[in-house]
Amino acid sequence: MVALDSGTVAVLRAHRERQEAERLAVGSAWIDSGRIFTKADGSELTPDWVSEHFERLTFAAGLPPIRLHDLRHGAATLSLAAGNDMKTTSAMLRHSSISITADLYTTVLPEVAREAAEASAALVPRAVVVTGASETGGLPSVSQAGDRRPADSTG
């Protein structure tokens, strides 16, 4: 079983309706391949054709070059960025081990890394408050927590 979001389910249902109309239009010439995505006569698509078609679609959409298989890596990364845990993400991709998912399939997005850095920094107790750049170009001026005046830089 594969869990899908409601938007994807709606797109697949619309595809099934179009495919049923194609089957009726072709009549007895329809080839029942048992596949969800087929040629207009119901016959199977070849993997090479699917990859080449995907490449043409991404180019036409102005997207950077990406292989069809790379979408699995993107799905893993987006799953983690959405807050899903590694076990759920690994199961979604049907990997035998979460280490495969963690080591080979996921990337930490810059936005997620910044959020993690901010969350980590927020846990550190502060005794001083940074008030801005030093007038001399050195380290920033600081003051005691609660005292918002710049510290005396004369020492």
Side-chain angles (χ1 to χ4, degrees):
M1 185 171 114
V2 176
L4 299 173
D5 64 281
S6 59
T8 301
V9 170
V11 168
L12 287 172
R13 284 186 176 141
H15 170 72
R16 184 172 53 192
E17 290 175 13
R18 283 190 307 275
Q19 191 175 48
E20 182 61 19
E22 289 174 353
R23 186 185 69 77
L24 291 173
V26 172
S28 63
W30 178 260
I31 299 169
D32 189 6
S33 64
R35 303 290 186 189
I36 294 172
F37 298 100
T38 65
K39 295 179 183 176
D41 65 355
S43 61
E44 291 186 35
L45 301 171
T46 64
D48 287 344
W49 183 91
V50 172
S51 293
E52 289 169 14
H53 187 66
F54 178 78
E55 185 179 334
R56 285 192 301 273
L57 290 173
T58 56
F59 179 80
L63 297 171
I66 184 172
R67 296 175 308 139
L68 185 59
H69 181 76
D70 293 336
L71 295 180
R72 286 179 54 83
H73 296 267
T77 297
L78 291 174
S79 176
L80 291 174
N84 295 317
D85 61 48
M86 188 63 70
K87 179 65 177 171
T88 301
T89 301
S90 182
M92 176 183 75
L93 296 172
R94 300 182 56 95
H95 288 159
S96 60
S97 161
I98 64 171
S99 63
I100 292 171
T101 309
D103 295 343
L104 301 176
Y105 275 78
T106 59
T107 302
V108 176
L109 296 174
E111 299 83 9
V112 174
R114 274 194 297 280
E115 289 174 15
E118 293 293 341
S120 297
L123 295 175
V124 178
R126 300 285 197 272
V128 294
V129 177
V130 176
T131 58
S134 166
E135 292 177 14
T136 62
L139 294 173
S141 299
V142 295
S143 61
Q144 295 298 319
D147 179 10
R148 299 291 180 182
R149 292 173 292 137
D152 183 2
S153 61
T154 61

